[in-house]
Amino acid sequence: MAYQIKKRNHYVEQLELVDEAGRVVHALNIDLDPGAVAEDLSRKYLDLVKTKEEVDCLKLEKPEELVEAYERLGNAAISMIAAVFGKENTEVILKFYDSRYNDLILEVVPFIRDVVVPEVRRMAQEQRKEVLKKYNRKTRRSFGKVKG
């Protein structure tokens, strides 16, 4: 019997961009490998949350600080969107929203937060469990022995 190595499943979700008339303009496939993306996506998501908290704490006395803070917030959101959708799909999304960054953030970020992030985390946890299961205590102990 041959030793088999099975290719892991990727998380595949589809996001449809719908125009004002209700027509699907773009259907974007999101194909994420949690092992490759989970850490980067989590880091960028936390950056976005941290930046939003900073913006929320700003006083309205200095408008130039507020403009700079919203720019940082927008950049953090686009960085996270790029981590999820990839460069090509991110460009499609940016063109679809046509400089309406507030709408982009209000509509795309909840999809990432509520759909993509939980699924990527779940799949990453499953992968960790599989790895630990394959290396039982006896196997792990044998790796610790140094021969020489």
Side-chain angles (χ1 to χ4, degrees):
M1 184 169 135
Y3 186 84
Q4 294 181 343
I5 298 174
K6 183 178 177 185
K7 190 173 182 181
R8 297 194 184 280
N9 290 333
H10 288 242
Y11 172 65
V12 179
E13 181 71 49
Q14 192 172 66
L15 176 69
E16 294 180 343
L17 301 177
V18 180
D19 66 9
E20 295 84 2
R23 293 183 310 249
V24 175
V25 179
H26 299 284
L28 306 175
N29 289 322
I30 304 150
D31 183 9
L32 297 175
D33 175 7
V37 175
E39 185 178 332
D40 187 40
L41 177 58
S42 293
R43 188 177 324 107
K44 290 184 180 186
Y45 180 73
L46 291 175
D47 287 346
L48 178 63
V49 169
K50 181 181 173 188
T51 304
K52 185 185 180 317
E53 288 172 356
E54 291 171 4
V55 169
D56 290 344
C57 291
L58 286 177
K59 306 240 186 292
L60 298 175
E61 299 166 355
K62 297 182 180 177
E64 62 276 354
E65 286 182 6
L66 195 59
V67 169
E68 181 183 311
Y70 277 117
E71 186 176 312
R72 283 195 334 262
L73 183 62
N75 289 337
I78 290 170
S79 179
M80 185 180 69
I81 289 168
V84 171
F85 292 97
K87 184 179 178 182
E88 187 177 306
N89 284 341
T90 300
E91 289 175 12
V92 170
I93 292 170
L94 292 172
K95 285 180 186 176
F96 177 78
Y97 280 97
D98 191 33
S99 300
R100 295 185 330 264
Y101 294 106
N102 195 42
D103 291 344
L104 184 150
I105 291 170
L106 290 174
E107 294 170 4
V108 177
V109 170
F111 167 74
I112 294 171
R113 180 194 64 222
D114 299 338
V115 177
V116 175
V117 169
E119 186 63 22
V120 169
R121 285 182 179 160
R122 184 192 65 75
M123 290 179 74
Q125 287 175 340
E126 280 182 10
Q127 283 184 350
R128 277 193 293 273
K129 286 179 185 176
E130 286 178 28
V131 167
L132 291 175
K133 192 167 75 174
K134 286 183 181 181
Y135 294 103
N136 62 27
R137 189 174 141 182
K138 185 177 179 181
T139 306
R140 285 189 304 245
R141 211 177 315 143
S142 70
F143 278 124
K145 294 179 182 176
V146 178
K147 295 181 181 181

